[in-house]
Amino acid sequence: MAVKIVEVKRESAPCVRLIGKKYKNAPNWGEWWQNDWFSALEINERHPINGDAYIGAVHIADGMPERWIGMFFPIDTEAPDGFEYVDIEPMEYAVCYLYDKENSGDFYTMETHTMCLEELRHLGLKRREDDWCFERYNCPRFTAPDESGNVILDYAISIEK
């Protein structure tokens, strides 16, 4: 596996609203680019934890994974027509900053998730089971490769306080 954790930071967030589209199966990033859906969201002021990023998120709902693509907003933000939202309670989370080649599929494997969980355990942090994990595709960390062709993906995991 080529993915490396270059840093882990503990962060916290108040209630946020994730506005986007919900998926029962694999999320379809291609339709987001084809339909320019992020433009409809970007007209609203994003929550500071969102930064200049697109969000891929997952949690367990009714015993099944519920996946989302969208962005984080203040809790009172209206969802544009054609979009859904879910309000996320205040949470503590650990962000693993993952470093690998641009377009690496290794960012999205269970091995990488397990590597992050092991690093959290090493740091004395415990995952909140079935709670939120999210990928924060931050610009420019994820969109501008370094001189080696590598980018950084922010991978956040909800943790116990």
Side-chain angles (χ1 to χ4, degrees):
M1 178 187 315
V3 173
K4 294 180 179 135
I5 299 173
V6 294
E7 184 175 12
V8 177
K9 287 185 181 176
R10 184 177 182 149
E11 299 181 17
S12 61
C15 288
V16 295
R17 178 164 285 177
L18 174 57
I19 299 176
K21 300 215 180 247
K22 177 174 40 173
Y23 297 86
K24 291 188 190 251
N25 297 311
N28 187 342
W29 286 89
E31 69 182 353
W32 278 78
W33 306 125
Q34 290 168 354
N35 295 307
D36 196 26
W37 285 338
F38 285 113
S39 292
L41 297 181
E42 290 172 329
I43 61 172
N44 292 308
E45 182 179 336
R46 291 170 294 283
H47 193 282
I49 72 161
N50 192 92
D52 188 12
Y54 300 137
I55 305 296
V58 64
H59 74 130
I60 303 300
D62 299 322
M64 299 298 295
E66 182 179 271
R67 294 170 178 85
W68 286 78
I69 296 176
M71 300 175 88
F72 292 129
F73 295 91
I75 201 73
D76 59 352
T77 306
E78 295 286 328
D81 287 342
F83 292 87
E84 302 171 86
Y85 70 88
V86 60
D87 292 335
I88 300 174
E89 295 298 317
M91 71 173 163
E92 297 287 318
Y93 56 99
V95 181
C96 295
Y97 292 88
L98 304 175
Y99 182 76
D100 198 4
K101 293 287 182 209
E102 182 180 24
N103 298 320
S104 171
D106 288 340
F107 282 127
Y108 315 106
T109 66
M110 281 307 295
E111 291 82 8
T112 298
H113 176 76
T114 300
M115 177 180 68
C116 290
L117 291 176
E118 288 173 9
E119 183 65 18
L120 297 185
R121 278 191 289 277
H122 175 74
L123 296 171
L125 302 172
K126 184 174 183 199
R127 176 184 179 201
R128 283 183 60 186
E129 290 299 321
D130 296 341
D131 210 344
W132 290 93
C133 292
F134 61 90
E135 299 154 350
R136 192 168 48 193
Y137 297 90
N138 184 278
C139 179
R141 282 192 301 270
F142 189 78
T143 58
D146 66 12
E147 62 282 349
S148 301
N150 292 316
V151 295
I152 295 176
L153 173 65
D154 305 5
Y155 183 63
I157 300 172
S158 297
I159 56 173
E160 294 182 0
K161 293 181 181 187

